[in-house]
């Protein structure tokens, strides 16, 4: 989990250094991936039952041609590492429980 905190610190710091607005809510996308559609679907349902906004699963092709399934959980949050880490911890645990991969989070620059 410490690795996710370091990554989150880097993302937030980079956005703020680039001039992103610290006063607005951000649409934070938490990414999930699995080769097994059934497991991924179970994870999406579990996230939905926890009250999260879950996007439709999609099939993705990796650089090596391998295909995987993915979905995002979308949360509106302050650009604050502690706030974002609360969701990271819950969603990483959910991914582990469902035997899928939590693949980090991202957001977009806000003026």
């Amino acid at each position: 989990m410490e690795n996710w905190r370091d990554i989150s610190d880097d993302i937030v710091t980079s956005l703020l250094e680039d001039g992103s607005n610290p006063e607005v809510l951000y649409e934070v996308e938490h990414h999930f991936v699995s080769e097994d559609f059934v497991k991924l679907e179970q994870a999406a349902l579990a996230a939905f039952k926890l009250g999260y906004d879950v996007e439709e699963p999609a099939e993705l092709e990796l650089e090596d041609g391998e295909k995987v399934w993915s979905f995002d959980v979308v949360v509106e949050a302050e650009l604050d590492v502690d706030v974002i880490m609360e969701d990271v911890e819950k969603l990483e645990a959910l991914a582990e429980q469902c035997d899928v991969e939590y693949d980090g989070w991202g957001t977009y620059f806000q003026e």
Side-chain angles (χ1 to χ4, degrees), residues 67-104:
K67 295 193 179 188
V68 296
W69 291 94
S70 172
F71 76 89
D72 290 339
V73 165
V74 180
V75 177
E76 279 195 344
E78 300 170 34
L79 193 60
D80 178 286
V81 173
D82 291 330
V83 171
I84 294 169
M85 284 303 298
E86 288 178 21
D87 286 317
V88 169
E89 291 169 5
K90 290 177 192 172
L91 295 171
E92 217 265 332
L94 181 143
E96 188 174 319
Q97 179 183 20
C98 294
D99 195 27
V100 299
E101 182 180 343
Y102 175 76
D103 198 32

mmCIF file of all heavy atoms in Angstrom, residues 67-104:
data_model
loop_
_atom_site.group_PDB
_atom_site.id
_atom_site.type_symbol
_atom_site.label_atom_id
_atom_site.label_comp_id
_atom_site.label_asym_id
_atom_site.label_seq_id
_atom_site.Cartn_x
_atom_site.Cartn_y
_atom_site.Cartn_z
ATOM 1 N N LYS A 67 -5.287 -9.817 -24.825
ATOM 2 C CA LYS A 67 -6.520 -9.087 -24.528
ATOM 3 C C LYS A 67 -6.878 -9.276 -23.063
ATOM 4 O O LYS A 67 -6.731 -10.358 -22.500
ATOM 5 C CB LYS A 67 -7.646 -9.562 -25.427
ATOM 6 C CG LYS A 67 -7.351 -9.216 -26.876
ATOM 7 C CD LYS A 67 -8.516 -9.362 -27.762
ATOM 8 C CE LYS A 67 -8.062 -8.953 -29.152
ATOM 9 N NZ LYS A 67 -9.113 -8.871 -30.085
ATOM 10 N N VAL A 68 -7.313 -8.180 -22.458
ATOM 11 C CA VAL A 68 -7.743 -8.190 -21.061
ATOM 12 C C VAL A 68 -9.053 -7.409 -20.963
ATOM 13 O O VAL A 68 -9.422 -6.666 -21.868
ATOM 14 C CB VAL A 68 -6.694 -7.561 -20.111
ATOM 15 C CG1 VAL A 68 -5.412 -8.372 -20.094
ATOM 16 C CG2 VAL A 68 -6.430 -6.114 -20.467
ATOM 17 N N TRP A 69 -9.718 -7.579 -19.842
ATOM 18 C CA TRP A 69 -10.946 -6.833 -19.551
ATOM 19 C C TRP A 69 -10.630 -5.768 -18.524
ATOM 20 O O TRP A 69 -9.804 -5.978 -17.637
ATOM 21 C CB TRP A 69 -12.028 -7.771 -19.041
ATOM 22 C CG TRP A 69 -12.526 -8.695 -20.106
ATOM 23 C CD1 TRP A 69 -12.092 -9.963 -20.368
ATOM 24 C CD2 TRP A 69 -13.516 -8.391 -21.077
ATOM 25 N NE1 TRP A 69 -12.764 -10.460 -21.444
ATOM 26 C CE2 TRP A 69 -13.650 -9.526 -21.902
ATOM 27 C CE3 TRP A 69 -14.308 -7.272 -21.329
ATOM 28 C CZ2 TRP A 69 -14.551 -9.568 -22.955
ATOM 29 C CZ3 TRP A 69 -15.208 -7.319 -22.380
ATOM 30 C CH2 TRP A 69 -15.319 -8.456 -23.180
ATOM 31 N N SER A 70 -11.333 -4.638 -18.630
ATOM 32 C CA SER A 70 -11.070 -3.528 -17.738
ATOM 33 C C SER A 70 -12.365 -2.792 -17.424
ATOM 34 O O SER A 70 -13.301 -2.808 -18.218
ATOM 35 C CB SER A 70 -10.095 -2.563 -18.418
ATOM 36 O OG SER A 70 -9.946 -1.384 -17.680
ATOM 37 N N PHE A 71 -12.410 -2.164 -16.263
ATOM 38 C CA PHE A 71 -13.466 -1.208 -15.955
ATOM 39 C C PHE A 71 -12.900 -0.172 -15.002
ATOM 40 O O PHE A 71 -11.875 -0.374 -14.371
ATOM 41 C CB PHE A 71 -14.732 -1.870 -15.377
ATOM 42 C CG PHE A 71 -14.625 -2.295 -13.935
ATOM 43 C CD1 PHE A 71 -14.966 -1.421 -12.905
ATOM 44 C CD2 PHE A 71 -14.197 -3.570 -13.603
ATOM 45 C CE1 PHE A 71 -14.874 -1.810 -11.581
ATOM 46 C CE2 PHE A 71 -14.109 -3.966 -12.279
ATOM 47 C CZ PHE A 71 -14.446 -3.089 -11.264
ATOM 48 N N ASP A 72 -13.589 0.962 -14.931
ATOM 49 C CA ASP A 72 -13.185 2.038 -14.034
ATOM 50 C C ASP A 72 -14.279 2.298 -13.007
ATOM 51 O O ASP A 72 -15.464 2.187 -13.312
ATOM 52 C CB ASP A 72 -12.944 3.340 -14.794
ATOM 53 C CG ASP A 72 -11.717 3.308 -15.670
ATOM 54 O OD1 ASP A 72 -10.828 2.470 -15.424
ATOM 55 O OD2 ASP A 72 -11.641 4.129 -16.606
ATOM 56 N N VAL A 73 -13.841 2.652 -11.812
ATOM 57 C CA VAL A 73 -14.709 3.205 -10.782
ATOM 58 C C VAL A 73 -14.422 4.697 -10.776
ATOM 59 O O VAL A 73 -13.260 5.098 -10.710
ATOM 60 C CB VAL A 73 -14.398 2.582 -9.400
ATOM 61 C CG1 VAL A 73 -15.013 3.400 -8.285
ATOM 62 C CG2 VAL A 73 -14.876 1.140 -9.342
ATOM 63 N N VAL A 74 -15.463 5.515 -10.877
ATOM 64 C CA VAL A 74 -15.282 6.965 -10.957
ATOM 65 C C VAL A 74 -15.797 7.609 -9.670
ATOM 66 O O VAL A 74 -16.922 7.348 -9.242
ATOM 67 C CB VAL A 74 -16.011 7.548 -12.178
ATOM 68 C CG1 VAL A 74 -15.812 9.051 -12.250
ATOM 69 C CG2 VAL A 74 -15.531 6.873 -13.456
ATOM 70 N N VAL A 75 -14.936 8.432 -9.065
ATOM 71 C CA VAL A 75 -15.249 9.090 -7.801
ATOM 72 C C VAL A 75 -14.925 10.572 -7.935
ATOM 73 O O VAL A 75 -13.871 10.922 -8.465
ATOM 74 C CB VAL A 75 -14.392 8.489 -6.658
ATOM 75 C CG1 VAL A 75 -14.651 9.201 -5.355
ATOM 76 C CG2 VAL A 75 -14.615 7.004 -6.530
ATOM 77 N N GLU A 76 -15.809 11.428 -7.451
ATOM 78 C CA GLU A 76 -15.470 12.847 -7.356
ATOM 79 C C GLU A 76 -14.776 13.060 -6.025
ATOM 80 O O GLU A 76 -15.284 12.650 -4.982
ATOM 81 C CB GLU A 76 -16.720 13.724 -7.439
ATOM 82 C CG GLU A 76 -17.199 13.943 -8.842
ATOM 83 C CD GLU A 76 -18.194 15.085 -8.934
ATOM 84 O OE1 GLU A 76 -18.739 15.512 -7.902
ATOM 85 O OE2 GLU A 76 -18.417 15.535 -10.061
ATOM 86 N N ALA A 77 -13.594 13.680 -6.073
ATOM 87 C CA ALA A 77 -12.808 13.857 -4.855
ATOM 88 C C ALA A 77 -11.934 15.097 -4.945
ATOM 89 O O ALA A 77 -11.616 15.569 -6.038
ATOM 90 C CB ALA A 77 -11.921 12.633 -4.614
ATOM 91 N N GLU A 78 -11.563 15.581 -3.777
ATOM 92 C CA GLU A 78 -10.571 16.648 -3.707
ATOM 93 C C GLU A 78 -9.235 16.102 -4.187
ATOM 94 O O GLU A 78 -8.977 14.904 -4.091
ATOM 95 C CB GLU A 78 -10.396 17.105 -2.260
ATOM 96 C CG GLU A 78 -11.623 17.650 -1.609
ATOM 97 C CD GLU A 78 -11.398 17.848 -0.114
ATOM 98 O OE1 GLU A 78 -10.270 18.186 0.294
ATOM 99 O OE2 GLU A 78 -12.367 17.648 0.634
ATOM 100 N N LEU A 79 -8.392 16.986 -4.674
ATOM 101 C CA LEU A 79 -7.053 16.575 -5.082
ATOM 102 C C LEU A 79 -6.170 16.553 -3.841
ATOM 103 O O LEU A 79 -5.319 17.413 -3.627
ATOM 104 C CB LEU A 79 -6.490 17.529 -6.147
ATOM 105 C CG LEU A 79 -5.250 17.043 -6.864
ATOM 106 C CD1 LEU A 79 -5.525 15.726 -7.587
ATOM 107 C CD2 LEU A 79 -4.767 18.092 -7.847
ATOM 108 N N ASP A 80 -6.427 15.556 -3.010
ATOM 109 C CA ASP A 80 -5.769 15.411 -1.715
ATOM 110 C C ASP A 80 -5.391 13.938 -1.561
ATOM 111 O O ASP A 80 -6.254 13.062 -1.660
ATOM 112 C CB ASP A 80 -6.737 15.847 -0.611
ATOM 113 C CG ASP A 80 -6.155 15.688 0.766
ATOM 114 O OD1 ASP A 80 -6.050 14.535 1.241
ATOM 115 O OD2 ASP A 80 -5.814 16.723 1.377
ATOM 116 N N VAL A 81 -4.132 13.678 -1.325
ATOM 117 C CA VAL A 81 -3.647 12.301 -1.260
ATOM 118 C C VAL A 81 -4.393 11.487 -0.209
ATOM 119 O O VAL A 81 -4.784 10.343 -0.470
ATOM 120 C CB VAL A 81 -2.118 12.263 -1.007
ATOM 121 C CG1 VAL A 81 -1.645 10.838 -0.772
ATOM 122 C CG2 VAL A 81 -1.371 12.890 -2.168
ATOM 123 N N ASP A 82 -4.616 12.053 0.969
ATOM 124 C CA ASP A 82 -5.301 11.302 2.024
ATOM 125 C C ASP A 82 -6.724 10.924 1.618
ATOM 126 O O ASP A 82 -7.168 9.806 1.870
ATOM 127 C CB ASP A 82 -5.318 12.092 3.333
ATOM 128 C CG ASP A 82 -3.930 12.220 3.947
ATOM 129 O OD1 ASP A 82 -3.100 11.296 3.746
ATOM 130 O OD2 ASP A 82 -3.664 13.241 4.598
ATOM 131 N N VAL A 83 -7.423 11.842 0.975
ATOM 132 C CA VAL A 83 -8.796 11.574 0.521
ATOM 133 C C VAL A 83 -8.793 10.479 -0.540
ATOM 134 O O VAL A 83 -9.574 9.528 -0.482
ATOM 135 C CB VAL A 83 -9.447 12.870 -0.025
ATOM 136 C CG1 VAL A 83 -10.769 12.581 -0.706
ATOM 137 C CG2 VAL A 83 -9.623 13.890 1.096
ATOM 138 N N ILE A 84 -7.911 10.592 -1.516
ATOM 139 C CA ILE A 84 -7.838 9.614 -2.596
ATOM 140 C C ILE A 84 -7.398 8.254 -2.060
ATOM 141 O O ILE A 84 -7.922 7.213 -2.480
ATOM 142 C CB ILE A 84 -6.909 10.118 -3.712
ATOM 143 C CG1 ILE A 84 -7.538 11.359 -4.373
ATOM 144 C CG2 ILE A 84 -6.633 9.029 -4.742
ATOM 145 C CD1 ILE A 84 -6.634 12.120 -5.303
ATOM 146 N N MET A 85 -6.473 8.242 -1.111
ATOM 147 C CA MET A 85 -5.983 6.983 -0.556
ATOM 148 C C MET A 85 -7.076 6.199 0.172
ATOM 149 O O MET A 85 -7.019 4.974 0.222
ATOM 150 C CB MET A 85 -4.782 7.221 0.366
ATOM 151 C CG MET A 85 -3.489 7.503 -0.364
ATOM 152 S SD MET A 85 -2.987 6.193 -1.527
ATOM 153 C CE MET A 85 -2.779 4.805 -0.402
ATOM 154 N N GLU A 86 -8.070 6.872 0.722
ATOM 155 C CA GLU A 86 -9.184 6.150 1.352
ATOM 156 C C GLU A 86 -9.857 5.229 0.339
ATOM 157 O O GLU A 86 -10.137 4.066 0.639
ATOM 158 C CB GLU A 86 -10.202 7.131 1.931
ATOM 159 C CG GLU A 86 -9.726 7.849 3.167
ATOM 160 C CD GLU A 86 -10.737 8.851 3.692
ATOM 161 O OE1 GLU A 86 -11.942 8.730 3.362
ATOM 162 O OE2 GLU A 86 -10.318 9.768 4.428
ATOM 163 N N ASP A 87 -10.104 5.756 -0.875
ATOM 164 C CA ASP A 87 -10.700 4.928 -1.921
ATOM 165 C C ASP A 87 -9.710 3.896 -2.440
ATOM 166 O O ASP A 87 -10.090 2.758 -2.706
ATOM 167 C CB ASP A 87 -11.216 5.798 -3.073
ATOM 168 C CG ASP A 87 -12.490 6.533 -2.711
ATOM 169 O OD1 ASP A 87 -13.390 5.910 -2.094
ATOM 170 O OD2 ASP A 87 -12.599 7.724 -3.038
ATOM 171 N N VAL A 88 -8.451 4.280 -2.585
ATOM 172 C CA VAL A 88 -7.438 3.330 -3.062
ATOM 173 C C VAL A 88 -7.399 2.111 -2.145
ATOM 174 O O VAL A 88 -7.405 0.966 -2.618
ATOM 175 C CB VAL A 88 -6.044 3.987 -3.155
ATOM 176 C CG1 VAL A 88 -4.957 2.938 -3.388
ATOM 177 C CG2 VAL A 88 -6.013 5.048 -4.254
ATOM 178 N N GLU A 89 -7.379 2.329 -0.851
ATOM 179 C CA GLU A 89 -7.316 1.216 0.104
ATOM 180 C C GLU A 89 -8.533 0.307 -0.007
ATOM 181 O O GLU A 89 -8.405 -0.923 -0.040
ATOM 182 C CB GLU A 89 -7.163 1.754 1.522
ATOM 183 C CG GLU A 89 -5.803 2.384 1.759
ATOM 184 C CD GLU A 89 -5.710 3.164 3.064
ATOM 185 O OE1 GLU A 89 -6.672 3.161 3.862
ATOM 186 O OE2 GLU A 89 -4.653 3.789 3.279
ATOM 187 N N LYS A 90 -9.727 0.894 -0.085
ATOM 188 C CA LYS A 90 -10.953 0.093 -0.210
ATOM 189 C C LYS A 90 -10.982 -0.674 -1.522
ATOM 190 O O LYS A 90 -11.328 -1.863 -1.554
ATOM 191 C CB LYS A 90 -12.187 1.003 -0.143
ATOM 192 C CG LYS A 90 -12.457 1.592 1.204
ATOM 193 C CD LYS A 90 -13.654 2.534 1.123
ATOM 194 C CE LYS A 90 -13.774 3.354 2.395
ATOM 195 N NZ LYS A 90 -14.814 4.401 2.265
ATOM 196 N N LEU A 91 -10.622 0.002 -2.602
ATOM 197 C CA LEU A 91 -10.720 -0.623 -3.916
ATOM 198 C C LEU A 91 -9.615 -1.641 -4.164
ATOM 199 O O LEU A 91 -9.832 -2.650 -4.836
ATOM 200 C CB LEU A 91 -10.739 0.462 -4.994
ATOM 201 C CG LEU A 91 -11.993 1.360 -4.932
ATOM 202 C CD1 LEU A 91 -11.849 2.545 -5.861
ATOM 203 C CD2 LEU A 91 -13.248 0.557 -5.244
ATOM 204 N N GLU A 92 -8.448 -1.398 -3.607
ATOM 205 C CA GLU A 92 -7.365 -2.386 -3.729
ATOM 206 C C GLU A 92 -7.742 -3.662 -2.973
ATOM 207 O O GLU A 92 -7.517 -4.765 -3.450
ATOM 208 C CB GLU A 92 -6.066 -1.784 -3.185
ATOM 209 C CG GLU A 92 -4.846 -2.199 -3.952
ATOM 210 C CD GLU A 92 -4.137 -3.391 -3.345
ATOM 211 O OE1 GLU A 92 -4.224 -3.588 -2.141
ATOM 212 O OE2 GLU A 92 -3.501 -4.113 -4.109
ATOM 213 N N ALA A 93 -8.358 -3.520 -1.805
ATOM 214 C CA ALA A 93 -8.817 -4.679 -1.031
ATOM 215 C C ALA A 93 -9.917 -5.423 -1.784
ATOM 216 O O ALA A 93 -9.934 -6.656 -1.817
ATOM 217 C CB ALA A 93 -9.307 -4.236 0.344
ATOM 218 N N LEU A 94 -10.817 -4.680 -2.411
ATOM 219 C CA LEU A 94 -11.881 -5.297 -3.196
ATOM 220 C C LEU A 94 -11.285 -6.089 -4.361
ATOM 221 O O LEU A 94 -11.702 -7.208 -4.624
ATOM 222 C CB LEU A 94 -12.832 -4.215 -3.716
ATOM 223 C CG LEU A 94 -14.005 -4.688 -4.540
ATOM 224 C CD1 LEU A 94 -15.228 -3.846 -4.223
ATOM 225 C CD2 LEU A 94 -13.710 -4.645 -6.012
ATOM 226 N N ALA A 95 -10.305 -5.522 -5.043
ATOM 227 C CA ALA A 95 -9.652 -6.208 -6.160
ATOM 228 C C ALA A 95 -9.000 -7.501 -5.691
ATOM 229 O O ALA A 95 -9.137 -8.544 -6.343
ATOM 230 C CB ALA A 95 -8.614 -5.294 -6.806
ATOM 231 N N GLU A 96 -8.323 -7.439 -4.568
ATOM 232 C CA GLU A 96 -7.680 -8.642 -4.028
ATOM 233 C C GLU A 96 -8.723 -9.704 -3.686
ATOM 234 O O GLU A 96 -8.549 -10.882 -3.996
ATOM 235 C CB GLU A 96 -6.864 -8.271 -2.793
ATOM 236 C CG GLU A 96 -6.014 -9.418 -2.276
ATOM 237 C CD GLU A 96 -5.118 -8.987 -1.136
ATOM 238 O OE1 GLU A 96 -4.546 -7.887 -1.200
ATOM 239 O OE2 GLU A 96 -5.013 -9.780 -0.178
ATOM 240 N N GLN A 97 -9.804 -9.288 -3.080
ATOM 241 C CA GLN A 97 -10.876 -10.202 -2.703
ATOM 242 C C GLN A 97 -11.500 -10.870 -3.938
ATOM 243 O O GLN A 97 -11.867 -12.039 -3.894
ATOM 244 C CB GLN A 97 -11.947 -9.438 -1.928
ATOM 245 C CG GLN A 97 -13.128 -10.253 -1.489
ATOM 246 C CD GLN A 97 -14.170 -9.389 -0.788
ATOM 247 O OE1 GLN A 97 -14.187 -8.161 -0.939
ATOM 248 N NE2 GLN A 97 -15.024 -10.020 -0.021
ATOM 249 N N CYS A 98 -11.608 -10.130 -5.029
ATOM 250 C CA CYS A 98 -12.232 -10.647 -6.256
ATOM 251 C C CYS A 98 -11.227 -11.289 -7.209
ATOM 252 O O CYS A 98 -11.603 -11.742 -8.295
ATOM 253 C CB CYS A 98 -12.982 -9.528 -6.971
ATOM 254 S SG CYS A 98 -14.392 -8.903 -6.048
ATOM 255 N N ASP A 99 -9.956 -11.302 -6.844
ATOM 256 C CA ASP A 99 -8.892 -11.889 -7.644
ATOM 257 C C ASP A 99 -8.757 -11.206 -9.015
ATOM 258 O O ASP A 99 -8.635 -11.856 -10.050
ATOM 259 C CB ASP A 99 -9.104 -13.397 -7.804
ATOM 260 C CG ASP A 99 -7.863 -14.105 -8.313
ATOM 261 O OD1 ASP A 99 -6.737 -13.610 -8.069
ATOM 262 O OD2 ASP A 99 -8.016 -15.158 -8.970
ATOM 263 N N VAL A 100 -8.800 -9.860 -8.982
ATOM 264 C CA VAL A 100 -8.513 -9.054 -10.167
ATOM 265 C C VAL A 100 -7.426 -8.060 -9.783
ATOM 266 O O VAL A 100 -7.063 -7.945 -8.613
ATOM 267 C CB VAL A 100 -9.766 -8.313 -10.696
ATOM 268 C CG1 VAL A 100 -10.837 -9.314 -11.095
ATOM 269 C CG2 VAL A 100 -10.302 -7.314 -9.700
ATOM 270 N N GLU A 101 -6.918 -7.325 -10.746
ATOM 271 C CA GLU A 101 -5.833 -6.390 -10.470
ATOM 272 C C GLU A 101 -6.353 -4.961 -10.341
ATOM 273 O O GLU A 101 -7.079 -4.475 -11.215
ATOM 274 C CB GLU A 101 -4.806 -6.444 -11.595
ATOM 275 C CG GLU A 101 -3.622 -5.534 -11.373
ATOM 276 C CD GLU A 101 -2.609 -5.618 -12.507
ATOM 277 O OE1 GLU A 101 -2.635 -6.570 -13.290
ATOM 278 O OE2 GLU A 101 -1.776 -4.689 -12.587
ATOM 279 N N TYR A 102 -6.001 -4.303 -9.249
ATOM 280 C CA TYR A 102 -6.219 -2.869 -9.129
ATOM 281 C C TYR A 102 -5.051 -2.221 -9.848
ATOM 282 O O TYR A 102 -3.896 -2.447 -9.497
ATOM 283 C CB TYR A 102 -6.271 -2.437 -7.655
ATOM 284 C CG TYR A 102 -6.385 -0.937 -7.493
ATOM 285 C CD1 TYR A 102 -7.594 -0.294 -7.716
ATOM 286 C CD2 TYR A 102 -5.284 -0.172 -7.157
ATOM 287 C CE1 TYR A 102 -7.696 1.091 -7.596
ATOM 288 C CE2 TYR A 102 -5.382 1.204 -7.031
ATOM 289 C CZ TYR A 102 -6.594 1.829 -7.255
ATOM 290 O OH TYR A 102 -6.702 3.191 -7.143
ATOM 291 N N ASP A 103 -5.350 -1.414 -10.871
ATOM 292 C CA ASP A 103 -4.310 -0.906 -11.755
ATOM 293 C C ASP A 103 -4.054 0.588 -11.573
ATOM 294 O O ASP A 103 -3.614 1.270 -12.483
ATOM 295 C CB ASP A 103 -4.695 -1.211 -13.204
ATOM 296 C CG ASP A 103 -3.530 -1.120 -14.164
ATOM 297 O OD1 ASP A 103 -2.391 -1.423 -13.755
ATOM 298 O OD2 ASP A 103 -3.751 -0.724 -15.319
ATOM 299 N N GLY A 104 -4.373 1.108 -10.371
ATOM 300 C CA GLY A 104 -4.067 2.493 -10.076
ATOM 301 C C GLY A 104 -5.206 3.436 -10.411
ATOM 302 O O GLY A 104 -6.315 3.019 -10.717
#
